[in-house]
Amino acid sequence: MPESPALTSAELETWASFYTLRRRLDRALDLQLQRDSGLSSSEYEVLVALNVSELGQLRVKAIADTIGWEKSRVSHLVSRMEKRGLLQRSECDTDARGSWIGLTASGRRALEGAQGNRAELVRRYFFDVLDEGDAQRIETLSQRVVEAIGCDHDEDLDSSDELDQTA
C-alpha cells in the first residue's frame, strides 16, 4: 500500500475540530440519556431499532446490522437488557435455533423517557446553532463520507457474522 502524505496543518485543524464536536456531542447526549432513563447509548440504539422495526421485534443479527455491531456483542447486550427487564425473547417459529427480541413495557417506558430530552438536546446543541444551509451541507457531507467508507469498514464487522444468518 502506498504511503499517504501527511495531513496539512489546515486538515489537522479541521479534523481536530470535527473530532472534538463529535466527542463532545456524543458525551453530552450520553450523560443526558443516563440521567433521564438510566440507559447507555448502546441500549438506547437497540431500543430504537426494535421500536421502529415493522414487526416490533428483530433477530439479534438484524439488530447488529442496524446498529453496526458484531452479532456476539449485540447478543451479550441483549442478554443484559433482558435481565433488566427491558427486552424479552420469544421463540422463532421458522428457526428453532433462533429467537425474536422485542421490547417489554419497561423497555418502551425507558425509551419514551429518553426520547423527549434527547430530541431537545439534539435541537439545542446541533440544529439551533446551524442555519438551513449548514444543515443541508452537513447532511450532504455526511452522506459522502459514509459512501466513501462503505460497508467494508462497519464498526466491529466480523466476517463470520456474514456467514451465520441463524440468530
Side-chain angles (χ1 to χ4, degrees):
M1 185 189 245
E3 192 173 315
S4 298
L7 296 175
T8 66
S9 59
E11 289 170 331
L12 285 170
E13 285 181 39
T14 300
W15 178 251
S17 229
F18 169 76
Y19 186 79
T20 300
L21 172 153
R22 187 180 60 92
R23 190 180 63 238
R24 286 190 183 172
L25 183 59
D26 285 347
R27 181 74 176 139
L29 293 172
D30 288 350
L31 287 172
Q32 186 67 42
L33 190 60
Q34 189 70 9
R35 279 191 299 265
D36 289 348
S37 62
L39 295 172
S40 70
S41 58
S42 303
E43 292 168 332
Y44 179 77
E45 285 184 69
V46 170
L47 295 177
V48 168
L50 290 166
N51 191 55
V52 300
S53 70
E54 274 186 48
L55 301 173
Q57 59 185 9
L58 293 168
R59 306 277 297 271
V60 170
K61 175 74 168 108
I63 295 170
D65 290 344
T66 300
I67 68 173
W69 282 16
E70 68 180 45
K71 190 177 76 174
S72 63
R73 186 175 175 192
V74 170
S75 184
H76 291 296
L77 178 60
V78 163
S79 292
R80 288 191 306 272
M81 292 174 74
E82 186 179 19
K83 287 177 186 167
R84 289 181 52 205
L86 301 170
L87 303 177
Q88 64 187 10
R89 291 180 196 263
S90 58
E91 290 183 20
C92 179
D93 296 338
T94 59
D95 183 355
R97 297 175 297 169
S99 59
W100 289 103
I101 308 301
L103 291 172
T104 62
S106 237
R108 194 167 306 284
R109 280 191 303 275
L111 178 61
E112 290 167 358
Q115 287 178 320
N117 285 336
R118 189 164 185 90
E120 177 189 330
L121 282 184
V122 168
R123 179 164 308 288
R124 182 180 345 145
Y125 293 144
F126 191 77
F127 289 106
D128 286 353
V129 299
L130 304 175
D131 63 32
E132 192 174 310
D134 292 336
Q136 183 58 52
R137 280 188 293 282
I138 288 173
E139 181 179 351
T140 300
L141 293 171
S142 296
Q143 289 171 351
R144 286 181 14 209
V145 170
V146 168
E147 287 172 13
I149 295 167
C151 63
D152 292 340
H153 299 288
D154 279 352
E155 183 181 351
D156 299 327
L157 182 62
D158 179 353
S159 59
S160 66
D161 285 349
E162 295 173 343
L163 301 173
D164 183 5
Q165 304 292 319
T166 60

